[in-house]
Amino acid sequence: MNVKNKPLLFTILAECNSSKARVSKMQLPHGVVDTPVFMPVGTQGTLKGILPEQLEKLDLQIMLANTYHLGTKPGVDILKKAGGLHKFMNWNRNLLTDSGGFQMVSLLKLAEITEEGVKFQSLNEQKSEVMLTPEHSIEIQNAIGADIIMQLDDVVKTTNPDKERIEVSVHRTTRWLDRCLSAHQREQDQNLFPIVQGTLYEDLRKISAKDLIQREVNGYAIGGLSGGESKEEFWRIVHLCTDLLPKDKPRYLMGVGFATDLVVCCALGVDMFDCVFPTRTARFGCGLVMNGQLNLRSKKYEKDFKPIDEECECDTCQKYTRAYLHCIVTVIPVACHLLTIHNVTFQLRLMKGIRNSITQGNFPKFVADFMLKNYPDKNYPKWIKESLSTVNINLH
Amino acid sequence: MKFVVKQLTKGVPRLGKLIELNGKPNITLQTPLVMLHTQGGQVPHITHEVLKLVSNNPHILQIPLVSVHNFKEAMDYFDGAINEFIGSEESICCLTLHDPSNLTQQGFNAKGKVPVWTKNGKVQYNSESYMKTVESFRPDMYHLLSDGDTNQSSTQKRISKAVANTNAFHKECLEIHRTSEKLKDCLIIAPIAGGYSISQRKDCLESILKDDDEVGGYLIDGLHNNGPEVEFLPFSDIEPIVKYSIDKLPAEKLRTIQGCWNPLTIIKLVKLGVDIFDTSYCRMLTERSAAMTFPIDGTEDSVTYEINLRQLRYLDDFQPILIGCQCPACLKYSRGYIHHLLSVQELLGPVLIMIHNIHHFLRFFEKIRRCIDEDCLSQLETRIEIYFTRYQQEILLPQKEPVVNDTIY
């Protein structure tokens, strides 16, 4: 394929002198994405009551949607008739869809994985058995039309110790990638990302990455983490995978979105993240701040007339006090909208801070300042100190 | 705040304006107007920021006490008025008692007390506790405490108690108002009780009109217990009471009425001389996934009064709710997308419907004012009547259109 016509152009703009962190520009069919990037999750083609107009105003460049949900409702036919999800939901910026496999395994107790695909009992009234194959996942994702789409992978829980099963999943994931690649109909405007598997086994991760990087693709994901493993195990695998994956392509760590994890994993060389956490926690009445989150339901905010975060420039922080939010959270839907606006703004601001500090050459200081805010007594968790020192950022 | 009526003729549709608003000297609000009904200080489903995308004009927010009673604790310490606390400094706030969009539970009336049914259960207000809240909230205008717990089936005994209570609340609240430094610029709306009894209305009016020089306007209260049923209250049932009351009320004062009145009834009430309504009707429709499509200008491409976006026929309908509508929902989103959002219970579904309904209702009131000015309100009435009558007949049909079921993954 001609380089000029590639649906993804990845340009590294700056690199941290100490760690593996880097700032890049990722040109996609629906605009530029500045990385490292956090992508909020708009599962069913909408993000928690927020209008796409509002998200554009926040300068959001890319969001996620879920293939399993959209394939069920509204379904492929409607999506095709609507001219794809961008048009259907009036979002003219970038989208990424997952493969649907993760949802099946996590949401459906009855899912069974065979070489053909993921077999599960449909939620419709007939309770019929349905098979999600790599080909079918790509067919749905082609109809949705996201700028980045994911291969169907064989997901095994990180807490599953059965190495034999995990080894099967690693090889099967590669075979499924090849089936996905040959089923893919829209190479000119949709980027298919493979997913490195192997849970917590370093030797299996190496095999997985080695096999996947031989395929001609524009970026890679690190899957099978953020599923209940210890932080100690988690960071070592991330560190290993970013070493194994090519430097000149974006690396996407799936399902990670807590602020400290984002900061550490940027240092480890990850470019893209997604997580439901910021929007989900908003629904429960929590507002994110640099050193954690405020549970606005708590009575201690009853007479607190400060905004959630005095440094935040979002509409919510400009206009509403913690005391007011305390009165309305979990009572009226609008409260969820207000907190979602803040929490998405928070994630974007954090990522911007990371990018700016890398560009300006002071990322290690940014990391140190951030960690100090979160752990004022300098009682840093072991995994944070270890992971950062591995990439030459030492917390004192 | 001052109310100026264009012509001081009784019993006719009239134009007026609200001027000299506290802290907002450059703002003029034209009547007949519609207050924006709120819950917890927000138009249901729409943040103040999204509301600005719908309308940039200044509005009166109707703040039902029942939805903000838990604000008092904070407001006692807050250095500002209720409009600032709810994040809408640019708005004018009118504190009212019950929420017109929800059915108010009847009964539990004790002498000197009014039950308010909050999400945490029953809270009883007397004149003193009510006025303490008003002082703490400092709204631009407010309703005096009243007993409006009457409807068409109320007994004479209940009605006379409602009048006696309302008369007593009126005196007690006014007494407190007179000595309140905080409320000196605050416009008073005095509720008139009396259910569907002319003689009781007479008693109430006679008692309350004694204080006319202190009052900025009147609320014709006690016609219903709020909630969706108000939509289908026949105008002929309320007409005699409203007409009688307005005849007795001084022409230079505001006349307000609350509730989810349908647009046809609103026009008829405007013709009797009512000046202020509210948007609770928009919320009621939105909660049942319905969007208004009745024509306002007569040029709209619409054959329906309202459409229910849960109906399966909208599954692959990529047209806007109302073709030609310039609201943010119609400009960029399709019926099919809204149908999808509703079928998967996403928050954005009611957001988009509410955006359209509020926009449509505001446009409807603009049209009413223009029609009064051009003396053609009856033409608008006739046009909407055709659509509304057909809609009423359709909802009585035994065959209902299939709608999408909710699914939870």
Side-chain angles (χ1 to χ4, degrees), chain B residues 240-289:
Chain B
I241 296 297
V242 176
K243 206 165 180 306
Y244 176 82
S245 306
I246 286 180
D247 277 346
K248 298 279 179 205
L249 290 173
E252 67 279 10
K253 296 290 165 74
L254 276 171
R255 302 144 183 177
T256 75
I257 200 159
Q258 290 198 102
C260 309
W261 307 101
N262 69 60
L264 188 61
T265 302
I266 287 173
I267 294 178
K268 291 178 194 290
L269 287 167
V270 164
K271 286 174 101 177
L272 292 182
V274 177
D275 303 304
I276 296 188
F277 300 83
D278 63 73
T279 57
S280 53
Y281 187 67
C282 298
R283 182 202 171 212
M284 206 198 41
L285 257 68
T286 303
E287 298 303 335
R288 65 172 187 236
S289 308

Side-chain angles (χ1 to χ4, degrees), chain B residues 6-279:
Chain B
K6 212 170 163 188
Q7 311 144 291
L8 283 171
T9 330
K10 282 191 177 182
V12 293
R14 59 192 208 159
L15 292 171
K17 56 188 178 184
L18 283 165
I19 52 169
E20 296 172 23
L21 305 165
N22 307 338
K24 302 178 178 77
N26 302 323
I27 291 177
T28 301
L29 296 170
Q30 310 285 342
T31 64
L33 71 71
V34 62
M35 295 197 281
L36 298 180
H37 159 254
T38 65
Q39 294 180 321
Q42 307 274 339
V43 173
H45 304 292
I46 298 184
T47 62
H48 297 310
E49 293 69 53
V50 172
L51 182 63
K52 286 218 174 73
L53 302 175
V54 184
S55 164
N56 247 326
N57 300 328
H59 291 286
I60 303 182
L61 301 182
Q62 177 193 45
I63 316 270
L65 176 61
V66 59
S67 74
V68 295
H69 88 106
N70 61 326
F71 291 15
K72 175 143 190 312
E73 202 83 345
M75 286 300 296
D76 284 343
Y77 290 86
F78 183 65
D79 180 26
I82 183 74
N83 57 336
E84 294 162 274
F85 187 64
I86 62 173
S88 186
E89 209 182 333
E90 63 282 4
S91 292
I92 298 108
C93 285
C94 176
L95 187 72
T96 66
L97 193 59
H98 300 296
D99 183 336
S101 72
N102 289 334
L103 183 70
T104 308
Q105 189 173 330
Q106 296 177 47
F108 298 88
N109 297 289
K111 197 170 177 228
K113 283 178 188 157
V114 173
V116 170
W117 301 92
T118 73
K119 71 177 172 73
N120 301 321
K122 184 177 70 171
V123 178
Q124 287 195 313
Y125 278 94
N126 58 25
S127 298
E128 200 190 332
S129 63
Y130 180 72
M131 289 304 289
K132 277 212 173 107
T133 306
V134 178
E135 278 200 305
S136 161
F137 285 20
R138 286 194 278 138
D140 300 278
M141 54 201 283
Y142 73 100
H143 292 176
L144 298 178
L145 192 62
S146 67
D147 179 347
D149 184 7
T150 49
N151 55 43
Q152 280 163 298
S153 51
S154 296
T155 60
Q156 284 302 319
K157 197 173 151 201
R158 173 83 276 273
I159 297 171
S160 64
K161 275 196 177 153
V163 169
N165 283 340
T166 301
N167 290 347
F169 293 142
H170 177 90
K171 285 196 178 61
E172 290 162 9
C173 290
L174 266 188
E175 196 132 313
I176 299 170
H177 183 102
R178 280 180 202 121
T179 60
S180 169
E181 184 61 24
K182 282 181 179 167
L183 297 177
K184 69 178 179 11
D185 294 324
C186 194
L187 186 118
I188 296 170
I189 305 282
I192 308 291
Y196 287 78
S197 156
I198 296 279
S199 65
Q200 294 289 351
R201 289 278 168 185
K202 183 166 177 276
D203 284 356
C204 193
L205 279 157
E206 274 171 6
S207 162
I208 279 165
L209 283 174
K210 284 178 197 152
D211 301 308
D212 181 57
D213 49 345
E214 291 169 82
V215 167
Y218 296 89
L219 167 74
I220 302 174
D221 202 11
L223 292 170
H224 54 73
N225 291 98
N226 301 308
E229 63 184 27
V230 175
E231 180 182 14
F232 295 115
L233 248 180
F235 177 71
S236 54
D237 291 2
I238 59 166
E239 187 180 13
I241 296 297
V242 176
K243 206 165 180 306
Y244 176 82
S245 306
I246 286 180
D247 277 346
K248 298 279 179 205
L249 290 173
E252 67 279 10
K253 296 290 165 74
L254 276 171
R255 302 144 183 177
T256 75
I257 200 159
Q258 290 198 102
C260 309
W261 307 101
N262 69 60
L264 188 61
T265 302
I266 287 173
I267 294 178
K268 291 178 194 290
L269 287 167
V270 164
K271 286 174 101 177
L272 292 182
V274 177
D275 303 304
I276 296 188
F277 300 83
D278 63 73
T279 57

Side-chain angles (χ1 to χ4, degrees), chain A residues 43-54 57 68-70 72-74 78-79 81-82 85 87-90 107 123 125 283 299 302-303 305 315-316 319-321 323-328 331-334 336-338, chain B residues 39-50 52-53 70-71 73-75 77-79 84-88 90 119 315-316 318 328 332-334 336-337 340-341 343-344 346-348 351-352 355 404-409:
Chain A
T43 298
Q44 325 217 52
T46 165
L47 197 126
K48 294 281 164 271
I50 308 298
L51 292 165
E53 288 92 319
Q54 295 174 279
K57 209 182 126 202
Y68 167 72
H69 292 84
L70 290 167
T72 312
K73 264 185 181 181
I78 298 293
L79 286 164
K81 275 191 201 170
L85 183 60
K87 279 192 185 155
F88 190 53
M89 68 181 286
N90 179 41
L107 293 178
L123 285 171
E125 281 132 37
R283 192 151 55 87
K299 209 165 163 58
E302 198 174 38
K303 287 160 198 156
F305 302 113
D315 280 341
T316 304
K319 284 205 182 147
Y320 304 96
T321 60
Y324 176 62
L325 294 167
H326 168 75
C327 289
I328 62 167
V331 180
I332 54 174
V334 162
C336 172
H337 304 173
L338 294 176
Chain B
Q39 294 180 321
Q42 307 274 339
V43 173
H45 304 292
I46 298 184
T47 62
H48 297 310
E49 293 69 53
V50 172
K52 286 218 174 73
L53 302 175
N70 61 326
F71 291 15
E73 202 83 345
M75 286 300 296
Y77 290 86
F78 183 65
D79 180 26
E84 294 162 274
F85 187 64
I86 62 173
S88 186
E90 63 282 4
K119 71 177 172 73
L315 188 72
D316 58 352
F318 301 114
K332 290 190 172 159
Y333 303 88
S334 67
Y337 181 57
H340 161 69
L341 295 172
S343 73
V344 295
E346 275 285 353
L347 291 172
L348 193 62
V351 171
L352 290 171
I355 285 174
V404 71
N405 295 321
D406 295 335
T407 44
I408 298 155
Y409 300 106

Side-chain angles (χ1 to χ4, degrees), chain A residues 303-314:
Chain A
K303 287 160 198 156
D304 186 341
F305 302 113
K306 292 193 291 293
I308 298 172
D309 182 344
E310 269 161 338
E311 282 162 33
C312 180
E313 288 178 0
C314 79

